[in-house]
Amino acid sequence: MTEHRPLGPQASTIATIANDVGVSVATVSKVLNGREDVAPATRARVEASLDRHQYQRRNRRPSTGQRRIDLVFHEFDTGWALEILRGAEAVTAAAGIGLAVSQLDGAHRPPSRWMDALLADRPLGVLLVLCHLTDSQQQHLRRQGIPFVVVDTDSATSASVPTVGSNNFNGGLLAARHLLELGHRRIAVISGPPDMLCSRARTAGFHSAHEEAGVTVDRELVCYGSFSAHAGHAHGLRLLSRPDRPTAIFAGSDIQAMGVLRAARKCGLRVPEDLSVVGYDNLPVSAWTDPALTTINQPLGDMAGIATQMLLDLAKGNEPATSRIDLVTELIVRESTAAPTHPR
């Protein structure tokens, strides 16, 4: 059995590591540079050898990207993304830090080419919105000293990843409680994608409110889809065309709720006289719909601002007091909800 002795920081070279592990110098260089095109097992062996030999990694030459952070959305969504952008920009502007914005065309995992470009540019840090890094990508950024924080309404991020989110279960609970207290008993919910925990958490809160009130939820009135107006409109038409239609609908987003409002008009129903509608997010536009939308306030701007400040603190070497912050959601009552005219 060969004994491996630390050679000390001065004696260790890339060639030393390559010879120890039995790989090429190019492979060791790829690991040092955070490249992803190295097999996980090989990367682990190289990293172990680097630690064993106390290899001193050279500090990279600072690049022009280091006075900015990268804000990465899984996709741009008009008003929702704008509130996040406003919250982040308010903090970076006050700190004199630049902000670069990009999106992943709906993907929830950045591709390898994104990581390669990021490592080449080396920003101060990365703020991810509804998208998550793989374990390997997280390791690459940590090794390169690039911090990252997630703005995540999904509430499913690992405890090891600094995250700012909101209480989705409570949002669903408050929306359903409000409608039940008004006297509604046939209440539909149109949530977001079923593979997103925030969608399921809001629906769980919706169910919990019904259990509190002793009211059974009709499974056929529970829908999942995208958070888009199109999904709200399509589900709304289907629900409101039923002979036993619901008297109220809780939508998973304000944009989705706007699709429901249009579906109600198409079905000849008045809001809130014939149908009550509750949205989610409290986007500025929700106060200007006709009627003004009752909604759940999700403090998107505050979430983004807190996450951005957390990221800047990490870039300075200051660890956050907690890795997960969930902000409170609250009910905003406007004109789109009322007691049912004809309870069902």
Side-chain angles (χ1 to χ4, degrees):
M1 177 176 174
T2 302
E3 180 181 359
H4 295 286
R5 297 179 179 176
L7 301 180
Q10 299 303 319
S12 300
T13 65
I14 291 180
T16 302
I17 306 302
N19 183 62
D20 180 46
V21 179
V23 297
S24 67
V25 169
T27 297
V28 177
S29 181
K30 287 180 180 180
V31 172
L32 288 169
N33 289 314
R35 293 274 297 277
E36 291 200 318
D37 51 341
V38 178
T42 302
R43 181 183 303 281
R45 289 166 49 220
V46 171
E47 287 288 348
S49 181
L50 290 167
D51 292 339
R52 190 166 56 247
H53 288 82
Q54 301 174 28
Y55 181 84
Q56 297 296 302
R57 306 180 192 230
R58 296 179 181 178
N59 292 324
R60 291 189 170 203
R61 178 178 58 85
S63 74
T64 56
Q66 285 198 329
R67 291 302 300 170
R68 70 143 211 271
I69 65 171
D70 281 12
L71 174 57
V72 185
F73 290 91
H74 83 293
E75 65 180 345
F76 289 130
D77 182 297
T78 54
W80 195 95
L82 183 58
E83 292 306 300
I84 295 287
L85 181 57
R86 283 174 175 161
E89 197 276 335
V91 174
T92 55
I97 302 295
L99 183 65
V101 182
S102 60
Q103 59 97 26
L104 303 178
D105 294 322
H108 290 281
R109 299 280 188 186
S112 298
R113 64 180 180 279
W114 173 87
M115 179 63 77
D116 291 341
L118 183 80
L119 292 173
D121 203 26
R122 294 183 61 80
L124 273 175
V126 183
L127 192 61
L128 299 133
V129 183
L130 279 182
C131 52
H132 306 273
L133 302 172
T134 64
D135 290 343
S136 175
Q137 289 171 335
Q138 291 178 32
Q139 291 171 10
H140 292 343
L141 291 188
R142 289 187 178 115
R143 289 175 188 134
Q144 299 300 315
I146 301 175
F148 52 91
V149 174
V150 174
V151 178
D152 186 13
T153 59
D154 199 36
S155 305
T157 312
S158 166
S160 65
V161 178
T163 306
V164 179
S166 65
N167 194 325
N168 291 288
F169 179 91
N170 187 62
L173 183 73
L174 292 176
R177 274 181 180 170
H178 172 62
L179 293 170
L180 288 163
E181 288 169 359
L182 287 173
H184 294 276
R185 291 298 178 265
R186 282 192 62 74
I187 307 172
V189 56
I190 306 173
S191 198
D195 62 343
M196 293 180 66
L197 187 59
C198 64
S199 303
R200 302 197 302 275
R202 293 171 194 176
T203 303
F206 173 87
H207 279 278
S208 182
H210 280 75
E211 290 172 5
E212 287 180 350
V215 177
T216 301
V217 175
D218 185 340
R219 292 179 177 272
E220 293 188 5
L221 300 185
V222 178
C223 312
Y224 289 92
S226 71
F227 286 119
S228 67
H230 176 79
H233 184 256
H235 281 301
L237 286 176
R238 183 180 60 79
L239 290 166
L240 298 176
S241 298
R242 294 171 59 100
D244 57 347
R245 67 170 179 81
T247 62
I249 295 178
F250 166 41
S253 73
D254 290 343
I255 301 300
Q256 202 179 60
M258 291 175 195
V260 173
L261 292 176
R262 174 170 288 192
R265 286 194 296 271
K266 189 169 184 178
C267 292
L269 300 175
R270 300 166 299 163
V271 176
E273 293 85 354
D274 303 317
L275 176 73
S276 285
V277 179
V278 178
Y280 204 103
D281 289 331
N282 193 29
L283 299 180
V285 70
S286 65
W288 293 95
T289 57
D290 186 18
L293 189 64
T294 293
T295 188
I296 299 298
N297 180 53
Q298 179 174 218
L300 297 170
D302 291 340
M303 288 162 56
I306 291 171
T308 303
Q309 188 58 60
M310 185 185 291
L311 183 61
L312 294 180
D313 289 343
L314 283 168
K316 295 175 183 176
N318 302 321
E319 290 296 320
T322 179
S323 64
R324 174 86 204 188
I325 299 174
D326 275 323
L327 301 189
V328 174
T329 48
E330 60 181 338
L331 176 71
I332 307 296
V333 179
R334 296 197 180 103
E335 301 166 359
S336 66
T337 52
T341 305
H342 304 291
R344 293 170 182 264

